[in-house]
């Protein structure tokens, strides 16, 4: 009995980080005039990437929540998104994250069809903030990206 409990406890410890990663998922929401595509833990504030567009204004905002201690709030910084050999580089503003003490990047730009194409191809999206890279699986993103594209690009 003790051996079974020990084995189960060890399995839970080993599965912890992977379970936390699997808890994140791609989600889409279209609420009045804003479409939102995000990689997040459902029913929480734990987001890694949030992309919102306002189709009527043809604008979008990208917020990453990877966080970096190397950035200073209120400055210009680059958010790099890559998928295989394709990459996009957006200039944005750094914003202090009061939740965890890090600094995040917020990008405001025109709706970019190249970003949607980047999200539709390949298996992994890599976010690069000041040299700190985080990989996000694109598995299961396709139906949400299609809805986002339809809402933002009116396709």
């Amino acid at each position: 009995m003790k051996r079974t409990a020990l084995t189960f406890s060890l399995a839970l410890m080993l599965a912890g980080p992977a379970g936390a990663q699997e808890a994140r998922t791609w989600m889409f929401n279209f609420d009045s005039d804003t479409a939102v595509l995000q990689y997040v833990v459902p029913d929480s504030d734990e987001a890694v990437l949030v992309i919102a567009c306002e189709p009527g204004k043809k604008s979008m905002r990208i917020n990453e929540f990877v966080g970096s201690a190397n950035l200073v709030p209120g400055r210009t910084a680059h958010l790099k998104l890559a998928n295989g050999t394709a990459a996009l580089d957006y200039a944005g503003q750094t914003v202090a994250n009061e939740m965890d003490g890090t600094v995040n990047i917020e990008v405001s730009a025109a709706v970019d069809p190249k970003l949607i194409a980047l999200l539709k191809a390949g298996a992994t999206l890599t976010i690069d903030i000041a040299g700190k890279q985080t990989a996000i699986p694109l598995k299961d993103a396709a139906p949400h990206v299609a809805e986002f594209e339809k809402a933002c690009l009116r396709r």
Side-chain angles (χ1 to χ4, degrees):
M1 184 69 156
K2 286 183 181 180
R3 184 175 180 176
T4 303
L6 180 61
T7 303
F8 181 71
S9 296
L10 183 58
L12 282 176
M13 287 186 340
L14 293 174
Q21 179 68 20
E22 288 173 17
R24 291 190 177 106
T25 188
W26 285 96
M27 299 178 73
F28 171 77
N29 184 41
F30 194 8
D31 182 358
S32 67
D33 61 348
T34 304
V36 179
L37 177 67
Q38 57 187 331
Y39 186 66
V40 63
V41 174
D43 301 319
S44 79
D45 293 332
E46 251 187 85
V48 176
L49 183 67
V50 178
I51 307 167
C53 80
E54 292 184 61
K57 295 181 180 178
K58 297 183 180 179
S59 65
M60 73 173 184
R61 187 172 45 237
I62 306 169
N63 294 85
E64 62 76 21
F65 297 97
V66 172
S68 175
N70 297 332
L71 298 175
V72 177
R75 301 220 175 134
T76 300
H78 287 268
L79 171 63
K80 297 174 186 170
L81 302 173
N83 185 339
T85 59
L88 297 171
D89 188 336
Y90 295 101
Q93 286 296 121
T94 54
V95 180
N97 185 333
E98 295 176 10
M99 301 281 285
D100 63 8
T102 61
V103 177
N104 303 111
I105 300 174
E106 180 177 289
V107 173
S108 294
V111 174
D112 188 358
K114 289 185 266 181
L115 174 58
I116 295 168
L118 192 74
L119 295 169
K120 289 168 75 175
T124 304
L125 178 70
T126 301
I127 302 172
D128 186 322
I129 292 102
K132 179 180 178 182
Q133 295 187 343
T134 299
I136 297 176
L138 289 172
K139 179 184 176 196
D140 302 325
H144 305 292
V145 173
E147 289 294 319
F148 187 74
E149 178 180 32
K150 183 179 173 183
C152 296
L153 298 178
R154 309 279 183 173
R155 291 184 180 171

